[in-house]
């Protein structure tokens, strides 16, 4: 009987054991990519799927009773006034792969389709070969979609009625040009369609009353800008003739259209654009701004690279100008006859590498101007000396705000934050007044255009100034709290905690560490909107913007709230007009996010997550009442051994009170010892309740994956002393790791460490200072601060000097001022001290940390005969980006740590390497893992 009971007990225990995660999990684990809520709050959609598999569009009613699922749906949008959801349908992944294997590419690959879901019936209407679609902003009951090819319509119904396109006789000598493709106007109410050929771009008016489009054909017979009422009246030309037509824009009142065209100079050697304007009740279009129009700078004109938009009132048209294009110069020389040279000078405002990175942007740079349709005036607001200008009141303010960093571009290479000047610009005259010089922060104009506010780092204060007249005033002089980061540990003046924005009556709302303050540029007393509850309770309140199109703060402020001590979070509500204790709406040991509000209803959707709970979508009222979970995207998680997380606190050897996270397997046995993985990147403990979906991560270990497989994971916070970044990491990481060892359950001889980028640097540094770790992975590590200091961040073309003097590397000075700090903090100078096997991942197209940094460390270790490996995903940037590369990296990193920390056999790439001659063969063999 005892033997039977023991056998039964063992069998029951075996059945109860959940399997560990493996790399096949990536093929079944869903991720949430898109979501939104319908304007009436009755429907929500979610796009989800595994990273490297076809995705699914899920549509759910607010009560959860009705659900639709559309394979491969994405880029979805609810119609503003119809029970319909419009979306793209991605071609099946296996079809695309089959075409690629057959050598096809570009337009020869399977194309996307359009889907229209009736939320009433669940019926899906599909259209093949659609490259883009648009819905009106407010109403209209229509949809416009643009076909990818000029072929017969492939609609599943025959409801399309062809609308006649006026044919325009081409001008003699017109240059060869691209052709348009069909555009279809679809009624969401009855499915009726009208089709227009040769369309290159289009726009729907805000309420869907009008459709405007630009057309073009190879022979220019179709060229023009056209408009039609969506209710079905006759198509009418706004302007026609051989040329390019672009940037069609309606005003909010649906009474005007503006656009650009070069039809007047189309056959010239250097055609230029003209801004046209039309009152829809008084066609045709008339030129509003040309190179000859008073107000347009000499030699300049409207540019096709600038946007065209009406101000909210419709009284102004905002557009971009630029120097007129130069005629192209023919050069018949062969490339072998040309010198290919760059000239760098010490007076260049920007390094040549930055100039090259920004070359296309500079070629297309435009400068803001406004035109007044009522009297035909044009006012140039921006130019090469003040290139950035914004107009408050959605384009209707009297005063605009201009900024320029042009005098300080050289300092970008070594100083941080960047400097800029600020100007008040009169929109009616273009006159400027210098407001501020050499500020090191952004500056925000109030929605009325009366004031601007900015952070003065030297004074440690929020400042404001009238855009009309007056001197700067200190908004926080009478407040006895700090508004800059109290924990700042970078070698430049602390940043502010930030701002929520402006109220309708021009009060500026800012944050201290915990609370919200309303500051009045007119001099009224500051208002502590959250009544000090944040500082009293250790709660951080931050405004959640539910309507990004609205420039002023609402009366009722939704505040994301975070407990700095426990890492719990939730939402509170406060008033932007008066001091009152914020009202708690929802709060708990979770992390919340992706909150969206229905446009016309008091209904929200949002995600809620924890280490153990996937961030599914929830819905409820705007008071977080009657909440309900709408999705369960990864129910299979319950079938796997997962993990738990807890907050760890200790005092470092520098005397700092620190926090960190300790992750344990779900089946954690307090009587066992486990291998420990240590990972870090600055401070991470605020992510205590983050969920870690199993994924082939581009650069770091996946916490849930490693916990599932029997590891403990420790993630300590690191505070820094300026000038000693490596030593700071050493004191925080070692003290924290030993604290965790002291808690028990850690196999002292099986501790690994992993970090990437800044974490990779610290991992390499710690390898030179301690033998505590049995194996270390350092991803994209800076190993030599001398050579790195003089290097380039190739993704941006920037010098790396600023990083060491002012930002993350935290040295605090130049290498000729502080050479010993650069030596002390560089692992390369201490490589002979490394006794721990080191795995390095560094890619040869890294645009952040030069590839040579990883190479320097590896060749040093190779010379010293230290166990080391360098993994390079050729052609990849700071980390692998393709799924096959990420998956390969996840497997290799696990193999490395499993070998040293779990006694797994070493894979052949570790013991034998992969010679170049056998690289392809080895890749094919590993692809089946």
């Amino acid at each position: 009987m005892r033997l039977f009971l023991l056998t039964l007990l063992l069998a029951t225990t075996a059945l109860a054991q959940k399997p560990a995660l493996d790399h096949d999990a990536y093929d079944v684990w869903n991720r949430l990519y898109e979501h939104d809520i319908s304007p009436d709050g009755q429907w929500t959609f979610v796009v989800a799927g595994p990273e490297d598999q076809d995705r699914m569009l899920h549509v759910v009613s607010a009560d959860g009773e009705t659900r639709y699922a559309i394979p491969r749906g994405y880029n979805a949008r609810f119609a503003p006034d119809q029970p319909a959801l419009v979306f793209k349908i991605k071609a099946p992944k296996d079809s695309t792969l089959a075409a690629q294997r057959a050598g096809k590419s570009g337009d020869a690959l399977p194309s996307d389709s359009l889907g229209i879901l009736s939320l009433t019936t669940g019926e899906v209407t599909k259209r093949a070969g659609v490259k883009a679609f648009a819905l009106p902003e407010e109403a209209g009951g229509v949809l416009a979609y643009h076909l990818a090819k000029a072929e017969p319509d492939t609609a599943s119904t025959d409801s399309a009625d062809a609308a006649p396109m006026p044919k325009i006789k081409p001008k003699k000598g017109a240059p060869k040009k691209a052709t348009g493709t069909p555009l279809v106007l679809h009624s969401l109410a009855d499915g009726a369609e009208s089709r227009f050929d040769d369309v290159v771009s289009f726009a729907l008016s805000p309420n869907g009353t009008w459709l405007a489009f630009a057309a073009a054909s190879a022979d220019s017979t179709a060229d023009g800008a056209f408009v039609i009422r969506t209710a079905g009246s006759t198509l009418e030309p706004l302007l026609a003739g051989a040329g390019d037509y672009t940037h069609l824009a309606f005003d909010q009142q649906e009474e005007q259209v503006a656009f650009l065209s070069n039809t007047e100079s189309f056959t010239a050697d250097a055609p230029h654009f003209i801004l046209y304007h039309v009152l829809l009740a008084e066609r045709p279009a008339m030129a509003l701004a040309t190179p000859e129009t008073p107000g347009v700078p000499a030699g300049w004109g409207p540019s096709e690279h600038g946007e065209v938009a009406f101000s909210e009132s419709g009284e102004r048209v905002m557009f971009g100008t630029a120097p007129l294009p130069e005629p192209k110069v023919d050069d018949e020389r062969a490339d072998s006859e040309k010198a290919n040279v760059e000239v760098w000078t010490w007076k260049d405002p920007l390094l040549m590498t930055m100039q090259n990175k920004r070359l296309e942007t500079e070629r297309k740079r435009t400068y803001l101007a406004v035109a007044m349709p009522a009297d035909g005036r044009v006012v140039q607001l921006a130019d090469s000396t003040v290139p950035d200008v914004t107009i408050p009141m959605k384009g209707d303010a009297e005063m605009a705000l201009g900024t320029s960093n042009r005098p300080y571009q050289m300092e970008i290479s070594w100083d941080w934050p960047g400097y800029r000047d600020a100007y008040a610009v009169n929109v009616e005259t273009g006159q400027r007044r210098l407001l501020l010089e050499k500020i090191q922060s952004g500056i925000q104009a109030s929605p009325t255009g009366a004031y601007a506010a900015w952070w003065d780092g030297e004074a440690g204060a929020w400042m404001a100034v009238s855009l009309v007249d007056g001197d700067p005033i200190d908004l926080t002089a009478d407040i006895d709290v700090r508004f800059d980061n109290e924990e700042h540990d970078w070698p430049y003046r602390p940043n502010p905690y930030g701002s929520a924005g402006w109220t309708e009556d021009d009060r500026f709302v800012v944050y201290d560490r915990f609370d919200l303050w309303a500051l009045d540029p007119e001099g009224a007393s500051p208002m502590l909107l959250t009544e000090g509850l944040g500082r009293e309770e250790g709660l951080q309140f931050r405004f959640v913007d539910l309507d990004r199109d609205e420039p002023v703060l609402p009366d009722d402020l939704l505040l994301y709230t975070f407990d700095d001590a426990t890492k719990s979070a939730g939402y509170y509500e406060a008033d932007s007009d008066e001091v009152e204790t914020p009202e708690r709406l929802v709060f708990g040991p979770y992390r919340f996010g992706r909150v969206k509000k229905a446009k016309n209803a008091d209904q929200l959707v949002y995600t809620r997550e924890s280490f153990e709970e996937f961030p599914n979508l929830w819905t409820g009222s705007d008071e977080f009442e009657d909440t309900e979970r709408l999705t369960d995207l990864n129910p299979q998680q319950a079938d796997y051994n997962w993990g738990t997380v807890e907050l760890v606190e200790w005092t470092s050897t520098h005397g700092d009170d620190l926090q960190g996270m300790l992750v344990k397997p779900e089946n954690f046995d307090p009587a066992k010892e486990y291998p420990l993985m240590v990972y870090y990147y600055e401070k991470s403990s605020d992510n205590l309740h983050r969920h870690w979906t199993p994924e082939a991560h581009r650069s770091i270990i996946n916490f849930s994956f490693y916990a599932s497989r029997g590891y403990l994971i420790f993630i300590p916070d690191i505070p820094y002393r300026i000038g000693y970044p490596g030593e700071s990491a050493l004191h925080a990481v070692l003290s924290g790791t030993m604290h965790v060892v002291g808690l028990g359950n850690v196999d002292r001889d099986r501790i690994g460490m992993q970090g990437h980028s800044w974490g990779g640097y610290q991992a390499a540094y710690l390898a030179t200072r301690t033998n505590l770790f049995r194996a270390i992975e350092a991803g994209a590590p800076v190993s030599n601060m001398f050579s790195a200091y003089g290097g380039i961040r190739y993704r941006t073309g920037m010098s790396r000097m600023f990083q060491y003097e002012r930002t993350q590397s935290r040295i605090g000075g130049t290498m000729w001022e502080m050479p010993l700090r650069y030596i002390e903090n560089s692992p390369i100078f201490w490589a002979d001290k490394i006794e721990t096997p080191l795995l390095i991942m560094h890619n040869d197209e890294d645009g952040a940390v030069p590839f040579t940094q990883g190479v320097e460390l590896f060749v040093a270790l190779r010379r010293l005969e230290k166990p080391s490996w360098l993994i390079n995903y050729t052609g990849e940037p700071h980390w692998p980006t393709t799924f096959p590369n990420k998956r390969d990296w996840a497997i290799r990193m696990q193999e490395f740590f499993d070998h040293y920390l779990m006694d797994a056999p070493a894979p052949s790439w570790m013991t034998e390497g992969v010679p170049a001659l056998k690289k392809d063969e080895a890749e094919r063999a590993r692809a089946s893992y």
Side-chain angles (χ1 to χ4, degrees):
M1 177 63 69
R2 289 181 180 177
L3 179 62
F4 171 79
L5 290 175
L6 179 60
T7 303
L8 180 62
L9 178 61
L10 291 174
T12 303
T13 302
L15 288 173
Q17 290 291 331
K18 296 180 181 179
L21 291 163
D22 58 28
H23 299 286
D24 290 337
Y26 311 146
D27 296 331
V28 298
W29 231 270
N30 289 311
R31 304 166 74 178
L32 196 157
Y33 291 98
E34 303 173 33
H35 77 282
D36 205 355
I37 186 169
S38 62
D40 62 6
Q42 295 303 302
W43 294 90
T44 296
F45 77 76
V46 174
V47 175
E51 179 182 2
D52 198 44
Q53 304 292 324
D54 288 328
R55 297 172 187 175
M56 185 73 74
L57 170 61
H58 303 269
V59 187
V60 189
S61 62
D63 58 11
E65 296 296 320
T66 305
R67 296 174 180 265
Y68 306 117
I70 300 99
R72 305 183 310 283
Y74 76 105
N75 193 24
R77 279 191 60 196
F78 285 107
D81 61 345
Q82 294 287 323
L85 180 71
V86 185
F87 48 91
K88 298 284 289 296
I89 302 174
K90 184 77 70 177
K93 183 177 177 63
D94 55 3
S95 299
T96 301
L97 287 175
Q100 290 172 335
R101 289 167 184 159
K104 297 181 180 179
S105 61
D107 292 341
L109 295 174
S111 61
D112 289 357
S113 301
L114 180 79
I116 307 170
L117 170 68
S118 168
L119 298 173
T120 304
T121 66
E123 179 182 355
V124 177
T125 302
K126 297 180 181 180
R127 301 287 188 268
V130 173
K131 63 180 180 180
F133 73 87
L135 289 160
E137 296 174 15
E138 304 294 339
V142 295
L143 156 74
Y145 61 87
H146 202 180
L147 299 177
K149 297 179 181 179
E151 296 176 349
D153 189 10
T154 54
S156 57
T157 66
D158 292 324
S159 58
D161 298 320
M165 172 66 67
K167 296 298 181 182
I168 309 301
K169 185 177 180 179
K171 291 182 179 181
K172 186 176 180 180
K176 184 178 179 181
K177 55 199 292 293
T179 60
T181 57
L183 176 73
V184 179
L185 181 64
H186 175 95
S187 170
L188 293 170
D190 58 18
E193 294 187 336
S194 297
R195 175 180 168 126
F196 312 95
D197 292 327
D198 304 313
V199 174
V200 291
S201 63
F202 65 98
L204 285 163
S205 63
N207 285 307
T209 306
W210 296 91
L211 169 68
F213 61 84
S217 59
D219 61 4
S220 289
T221 58
D223 294 3
F226 303 87
V227 69
I228 186 173
R229 282 188 178 273
T230 57
S233 63
T234 305
L235 180 71
E236 298 186 38
L238 300 175
L239 186 69
D244 299 307
Y245 298 78
T246 185
H247 294 302
L248 292 148
F250 286 95
D251 68 338
Q252 283 295 118
Q253 294 74 27
E254 300 188 320
E255 296 173 350
Q256 307 171 81
V257 175
F259 61 92
L260 298 170
S261 177
N262 61 6
T263 183
E264 291 297 321
S265 58
F266 186 56
T267 59
D269 291 337
H272 61 267
F273 280 80
I274 291 173
L275 175 67
Y276 289 90
H277 170 262
V278 59
L279 291 170
L280 290 172
E282 301 177 11
R283 289 181 292 275
M286 303 296 291
L288 183 58
T290 76
E292 291 76 33
T293 301
V296 176
W300 286 32
S303 172
E304 76 273 27
H305 301 305
E307 295 299 316
V308 175
F310 283 90
S311 64
E312 186 173 45
S313 69
E315 295 178 0
R316 294 172 178 166
V317 181
M318 296 168 284
F319 65 104
T321 62
L324 293 173
E326 299 282 346
K328 292 184 178 179
V329 177
D330 293 331
D331 191 343
E332 298 179 354
R333 293 179 299 163
D335 288 345
S336 61
E337 298 177 273
K338 302 174 185 176
N340 189 6
V341 61
E342 293 178 345
V343 178
W344 299 32
T345 79
W346 67 279
K347 291 186 177 181
D348 289 341
L350 295 177
L351 275 174
M352 186 61 65
T353 47
M354 290 187 71
Q355 294 180 49
N356 288 333
K357 283 292 182 181
R358 300 180 179 191
L359 187 58
E360 195 60 25
T361 298
E362 289 302 316
R363 283 173 176 162
K364 296 181 178 180
R365 181 177 289 280
T366 63
Y367 302 91
L368 180 66
V370 293
M372 322 296 182
D375 57 16
R377 287 187 305 115
V378 171
V379 181
Q380 186 70 45
L381 301 180
D383 59 24
S384 58
T385 58
V386 182
D388 300 308
V389 175
T390 56
I391 310 175
M393 289 180 63
K394 297 184 178 181
D396 283 318
E398 174 189 352
M399 301 298 295
L401 178 64
T403 59
S404 175
N405 72 346
R406 294 295 172 90
Y408 316 110
Q409 287 185 329
M410 189 176 290
E411 285 94 325
I412 291 172
S413 289
W414 56 79
D415 209 346
W416 185 269
Y419 299 98
R420 71 197 69 199
D421 298 332
Y423 295 81
V425 184
N426 188 300
V427 181
E428 290 296 314
T429 67
Q431 291 181 330
R432 295 176 186 153
R433 179 171 64 93
L434 179 63
L435 292 174
L436 306 162
E437 287 186 282
K438 210 172 184 180
I439 61 172
Q440 283 186 287
S441 76
I443 181 167
Q444 305 174 49
S446 67
T448 63
Y451 299 96
W454 73 100
W455 173 254
D456 186 327
E458 185 174 1
W462 283 103
M463 310 289 289
V465 66
S466 167
L467 290 181
V468 178
D469 54 31
D471 298 320
I473 61 170
D474 187 334
L475 298 175
T476 50
D478 298 328
I479 304 176
D480 191 24
V481 299
R482 287 181 60 177
F483 288 89
D484 57 356
N485 187 347
E486 298 174 17
E487 300 177 318
H488 183 85
D489 57 11
W490 293 33
Y492 67 89
R493 294 188 184 102
N495 291 321
Y497 284 104
S499 65
W502 293 86
T503 63
E504 192 171 18
D505 58 352
D506 278 342
R507 286 177 301 121
F508 191 50
V509 178
V510 302
Y511 308 123
D512 66 22
R513 182 175 178 180
F514 300 101
D515 292 296
L516 277 75
W517 297 77
L519 312 176
D520 190 348
E522 295 287 349
S525 297
M527 296 171 60
L528 181 53
L529 295 179
T530 46
E531 215 174 31
L533 179 67
R535 188 166 293 274
E536 180 181 325
E537 300 290 338
L539 300 175
Q540 296 175 1
F541 293 119
R542 298 297 183 259
F543 170 63
V544 180
D545 192 353
L546 298 176
D547 186 359
R548 296 189 181 277
D549 293 329
E550 180 54 56
V552 300
L553 294 173
D555 292 337
D556 295 323
L557 301 176
L558 180 65
L559 304 178
Y560 187 73
T561 309
F562 181 78
D563 189 317
D564 196 45
T566 68
K567 316 306 179 185
S568 291
Y571 293 97
Y572 278 60
E573 187 177 57
D575 197 302
S576 65
D577 269 338
E578 57 185 88
V579 176
E580 64 177 15
T581 303
E583 177 186 355
R584 177 183 288 199
L585 303 177
V586 62
F587 202 80
Y590 303 102
R591 191 163 87 161
F592 297 83
R594 303 190 189 190
V595 61
K596 295 186 178 183
K597 180 183 178 298
K599 186 173 184 178
N600 303 319
D602 295 330
Q603 192 76 11
L604 302 174
V605 291
Y606 58 94
T607 57
R608 191 187 82 177
E609 65 183 284
S610 68
F611 187 88
E612 298 172 62
E613 180 179 316
F614 179 82
N616 279 293
L617 205 63
W618 291 67
T619 189
S621 73
D622 60 357
E623 300 288 329
F624 288 85
E625 296 173 342
D626 302 320
T627 59
E628 180 180 356
R629 192 183 68 181
L630 293 175
T631 64
D632 185 13
L633 293 175
N634 288 301
Q636 76 280 1
Q637 179 180 316
D639 299 328
Y640 287 89
N641 185 42
W642 196 251
T644 62
V645 67
E646 59 194 59
L647 198 63
V648 178
E649 298 181 312
W650 75 99
T651 301
S652 77
T653 48
H654 270 159
D656 298 310
D657 292 330
L658 301 181
Q659 293 181 314
M661 299 183 288
L662 180 61
V663 181
K664 298 177 179 179
E666 179 183 334
N667 61 352
F668 176 76
D669 183 349
K672 287 179 56 177
E673 288 188 341
Y674 292 84
L676 174 68
M677 283 295 304
V678 179
Y679 167 81
Y680 45 81
Y681 193 97
E682 303 247 353
K683 296 178 180 177
S684 299
S685 64
D686 284 357
N687 292 316
L688 181 71
H689 298 302
R690 175 180 171 179
H691 185 83
W692 292 84
T693 302
E695 64 174 324
H697 200 280
R698 65 191 185 183
S699 60
I700 70 172
I701 61 172
N702 183 278
F703 301 160
S704 55
F705 184 92
Y706 275 73
S708 177
R709 302 184 69 84
Y711 286 91
L712 302 179
I713 304 102
F714 175 52
I715 309 99
D717 288 347
I718 303 174
Y720 294 93
R721 293 171 61 207
I722 293 170
Y724 305 95
E727 182 185 292
S728 298
L730 181 72
H731 281 265
V733 174
L734 289 192
S735 63
T737 301
M738 295 312 298
H739 174 76
V740 171
V741 170
L743 297 176
N745 305 116
V746 174
D747 186 334
R748 174 66 175 74
D749 296 324
R750 299 176 187 275
I751 303 176
M753 177 169 58
Q754 194 269 325
H756 187 85
S757 192
W758 180 237
Y761 155 70
Q762 292 166 106
Y765 178 90
L766 263 65
T768 70
R769 295 299 195 270
T770 178
N771 292 326
L772 173 65
F773 302 98
R774 189 170 178 182
I776 295 175
E777 190 281 323
V782 167
S783 61
N784 184 345
M785 287 195 173
F786 275 95
S787 58
Y789 176 83
I792 297 293
R793 295 178 68 93
Y794 287 104
R795 184 175 62 85
T796 60
M798 291 182 67
S799 163
R800 293 179 55 83
M801 290 180 176
F802 78 95
Q803 181 168 330
Y804 296 88
E805 295 182 40
R806 289 289 179 264
T807 65
Q808 190 174 51
S809 296
R810 297 176 170 87
I811 297 299
T814 69
M815 67 181 184
W816 48 89
E817 294 170 329
M818 303 172 175
L820 292 181
R821 288 189 182 181
Y822 282 83
I823 292 174
E824 291 166 3
N825 287 285
S826 295
I828 195 71
F829 294 104
W830 316 97
D832 61 319
K833 308 298 184 186
I834 295 177
E835 300 295 339
T836 306
L838 190 64
L839 174 64
I840 303 166
M841 187 267 281
H842 208 157
N843 301 328
D844 54 12
E845 293 294 329
D846 193 324
V849 178
F851 177 53
T852 51
Q853 289 294 306
V855 172
E856 285 188 45
L857 182 58
F858 173 74
V859 296
L861 294 173
R862 179 174 177 267
R863 166 73 181 273
L864 293 164
E865 297 186 339
K866 308 284 188 178
S868 54
W869 298 262
L870 173 63
I871 306 297
N872 169 27
Y873 293 97
T874 57
E876 288 276 44
H878 195 46
W879 35 57
T881 59
T882 69
F883 180 78
N885 282 346
K886 289 190 289 185
R887 189 176 189 275
D888 181 86
W889 175 235
I891 293 172
R892 290 187 194 276
M893 194 154 46
Q894 181 208 330
E895 290 173 332
F896 173 75
F897 285 118
D898 278 2
H899 170 63
Y900 283 108
L901 305 186
M902 286 193 166
D903 295 331
S908 61
W909 64 267
M910 288 179 63
T911 57
E912 302 171 17
V914 182
L917 284 173
K918 295 186 177 182
K919 188 175 76 168
D920 292 343
E921 176 185 334
E923 192 281 328
R924 285 194 298 273
R926 289 184 63 84
S928 60
Y929 281 21

